[in-house]
Amino acid sequence: MKMMGEQQVIGFPPLSIDVQKPTDGLKCFDDDGRIKRTGTVWTASAHIITAVIGSGVLSLAWAIGQLGWIAGPAVMLIFAFVIYYTSALLSDCYRSGDPDTGKRNYTYMDAVHANLGGVKVKICGFIQYLNLFGVAIGYTIAASISMMAIKKSNCYHKTGGKGPCKMSSNPYMIIFGVVQIMFSQIPDFDQIWWLSIVAAVMSFTYSSIGLALGVAQTVANGGIKGSLTGISIGTVTETQKIWRSFQAFGDIAFAYSYSIILIEIQDTIKSPPSEAKTMKKATVISVAVTTAFYMLCGCMGYAAFGDEAPGNLLTGFGFYNPYWLLDIANAAIVIHLVGAYQVYCQPLFAFIEKWTNKSYPNNPLNKEINFGGKFSLNLFRLIWRSLFVVATTIISMLLPFFNDVVGLLGALGFWPLTVYFPVEMYIVQKKVKKWSTKWVCLQMLSLACLVISVAAAVGSVAGVVTDLKVYRPFKSDY
């Protein structure tokens, strides 16, 4: 049978490997008897970049457009610092007790259970997996829009930008769903490292194209557009300005967030050195790289279009030419989102499969069917993961609102998963004394981020409500 990664042990019946052989044990198994991890700072960085530099980068020009040249970049830098800091706190919670030899927590929920326990575990699990489900919906919407953009850019090229070029997103969502059904049969997180690397390369490709087009458009304009305070009252109403500014917070939060899968990524890293040290290095590399790209793409997009910056830089058709370059960029987005979808959904897949295996150990659907040692099939995995992809595809077809969905997802996941739980677990793990200076500072950080999340959620919900006024289910044309 083909050896699976560690999540395989979590989600499926034990592999039929003879653990009594000392040579096999030395070569194939880790300190806890699970299959040996092979991840490095570079594979971890690839996973993070795949998860972070996603469709969110495309909305950053619009987000900066709502906030302006002062607040926009400042908010992005603040989010970058918060994400880095809380990720460092969370990485220290991977092992309980000793950072080198303590008990490993294989998932985000395992870490919450080990450090906080009680009802907080259930609350965390609900929020985390609901957020992962939402991310899958957001990525399906984004991928379909990029696929449509390829066809639309060619249409604009043929008609000189004068044709209507209307089309439905539904067929493209279905195509993306079919592809995800196939890729979702990859058994576990540890086996998609190659997909993460391909996706990371694609993310750099389309981000670089967006940046280059922004620079070219700025040069063509003969100067930088935009204002210090963002989109002006008059272009939008005062109320819209407030809601859009709040939604911009959610868009930026979504663009940066990856904490919900940080522990799962850390569980692929080999040791020694300690996983926490490696993960912190990967976090520094990844956050620095993504922040540089985000600042460049967001700022140059706003510089190119000012108040008219589109919600999606490469598909909102701020650009029409060169159409072939737009096609390459949008194809790269689609390929990236195929990988990013899997990076986010594998922890949810593993959780459900672990639970069913534990609850129904004799269920014949949970048995691995081996095909000549090269391929194995699990019927429950096939059925459950396929149904999951179908569900996310149908919901995406019902709510195809890119900017609003992105903002809402960022708002809902940012405070609880990126800030609150990492802070609370770190306090327990490191035994930070209540009312000490460090404890007070951590609580103030958590409270400030809660206020930002609530404001972003309100702004995004207001955007969804506005969209629904002119929306017909399954009838959206772009």
Side-chain angles (χ1 to χ4, degrees):
M1 178 181 286
K2 182 179 179 181
M3 291 185 182
M4 305 298 178
E6 292 162 272
Q7 296 291 339
Q8 169 75 13
V9 181
I10 293 175
F12 304 102
L15 298 171
S16 55
I17 301 174
D18 184 3
V19 298
Q20 301 301 320
K21 296 179 181 179
T23 55
D24 286 349
L26 288 172
K27 293 179 180 179
C28 302
F29 295 96
D30 239 316
D31 55 357
D32 59 352
R34 292 170 178 258
I35 293 175
K36 201 170 189 67
R37 296 161 296 164
T38 58
T40 66
V41 64
W42 300 112
T43 60
S45 297
H47 282 314
I48 295 171
I49 291 171
T50 299
V52 178
I53 301 184
S55 56
V57 69
L58 303 174
S59 67
L60 291 179
W62 180 90
I64 292 179
Q66 312 314 305
L67 301 172
W69 280 118
I70 297 176
V75 168
M76 289 179 65
L77 289 174
I78 291 170
F79 270 98
F81 172 76
V82 171
I83 291 292
Y84 163 72
Y85 183 70
T86 57
S87 295
L89 299 182
L90 184 57
S91 63
D92 282 331
C93 300
Y94 174 67
R95 287 187 184 265
S96 298
D98 188 276
D100 295 310
T101 59
K103 180 183 176 296
R104 284 163 52 193
N105 298 308
Y106 306 109
T107 66
Y108 192 108
M109 277 188 66
D110 285 345
V112 175
H113 184 270
N115 290 283
L116 302 177
V119 69
K120 289 184 178 180
V121 178
K122 295 181 179 179
I123 294 173
C124 171
F126 176 77
I127 296 172
Q128 182 189 11
Y129 295 125
L130 179 64
N131 195 263
L132 291 174
F133 184 74
V135 167
I137 294 170
Y139 281 178
T140 302
I141 295 171
S144 69
I145 291 174
S146 289
M147 285 188 277
M148 285 192 300
I150 295 173
K151 186 173 182 179
K152 186 176 284 190
S153 70
N154 291 306
C155 174
Y156 277 124
H157 176 68
K158 290 178 180 178
T159 62
K162 298 178 181 179
C165 299
K166 293 282 187 178
M167 62 194 72
S168 171
S169 61
N170 293 341
Y172 300 95
M173 291 186 184
I174 293 171
I175 291 170
F176 186 76
V178 170
V179 172
Q180 289 302 338
I181 286 176
M182 293 187 291
F183 276 103
S184 67
Q185 299 311 309
I186 298 174
D188 58 65
F189 212 165
D190 200 42
Q191 294 187 24
I192 62 171
W193 62 267
W194 60 272
L195 190 58
S196 282
I197 291 174
V198 170
V201 171
M202 292 298 103
S203 68
F204 282 121
T205 300
Y206 68 74
S207 296
S208 299
I209 291 173
L211 172 61
L213 290 174
V215 172
Q217 185 66 44
T218 302
V219 171
N221 293 338
I224 295 174
K225 289 189 175 183
S227 65
L228 296 179
T229 57
I231 192 167
S232 57
I233 305 298
T235 305
V236 295
T237 65
E238 188 172 338
T239 301
Q240 287 175 325
K241 171 74 173 179
I242 294 172
W243 294 143
R244 284 177 168 222
S245 296
F246 287 164
Q247 186 183 331
F249 290 152
D251 284 2
I252 295 172
F254 177 82
Y256 270 110
S257 294
Y258 72 95
S259 297
I260 53 177
I261 57 170
L262 184 145
I263 295 292
E264 284 81 355
I265 292 174
Q266 195 167 347
D267 191 45
T268 67
I269 297 173
K270 63 184 177 182
S271 64
S274 74
E275 298 88 351
K277 289 182 180 179
T278 303
M279 196 63 189
K280 287 175 183 178
K281 290 179 181 178
T283 299
V284 169
I285 294 170
S286 304
V287 172
V289 169
T290 54
T291 300
F293 263 84
Y294 283 2
M295 292 293 285
L296 289 169
C297 292
C299 290
M300 291 313 303
Y302 183 47
F305 298 106
D307 288 354
E308 297 177 356
N312 187 319
L313 189 61
L314 292 175
T315 63
F317 286 89
F319 299 111
Y320 296 97
N321 288 299
Y323 76 99
W324 56 268
L325 192 59
L326 284 172
D327 290 351
I328 293 173
N330 281 296
I333 292 172
V334 175
I335 295 171
H336 172 263
L337 291 176
V338 169
Y341 186 106
Q342 290 301 315
V343 168
Y344 271 98
C345 291
Q346 284 289 340
L348 177 56
F349 293 158
F351 170 75
I352 295 296
E353 288 154 10
K354 175 185 175 182
W355 178 81
T356 56
N357 187 47
K358 182 178 179 181
S359 302
Y360 308 100
N362 297 320
N363 188 337
L365 292 179
N366 284 329
K367 303 298 182 183
E368 289 282 346
I369 303 173
N370 188 30
F371 295 92
K374 297 293 184 181
F375 175 73
S376 63
L377 176 68
N378 180 290
L379 291 177
F380 179 76
R381 180 169 70 233
L382 175 65
I383 295 170
W384 135 246
R385 296 189 183 191
S386 298
L387 289 176
F388 174 89
V389 175
V390 169
T392 59
T393 303
I394 291 174
I395 295 174
S396 300
M397 292 163 67
L398 282 169
L399 297 170
F401 313 131
F402 177 74
N403 264 74
D404 300 325
V405 170
V406 163
L408 186 58
L409 289 172
L412 293 179
F414 177 65
W415 175 72
L417 299 174
T418 302
V419 182
Y420 175 75
F421 283 113
V423 164
E424 293 301 311
M425 286 191 288
Y426 180 82
I427 288 172
V428 172
Q429 178 89 340
K430 299 300 182 181
K431 298 180 174 61
V432 179
K433 290 184 179 180
K434 195 172 185 178
W435 300 113
S436 65
T437 302
K438 189 168 189 177
W439 185 90
V440 171
C441 290
L442 288 170
Q443 297 300 332
M444 289 177 64
L445 171 66
S446 182
L447 179 61
C449 291
L450 171 60
V451 173
I452 291 172
S453 285
V454 171
V458 171
S460 298
V461 169
V464 171
V465 170
T466 301
D467 287 336
L468 287 173
K469 291 178 181 179
V470 294
Y471 168 69
R472 295 175 298 161
F474 299 108
K475 297 290 185 180
S476 289
D477 292 324
Y478 294 89

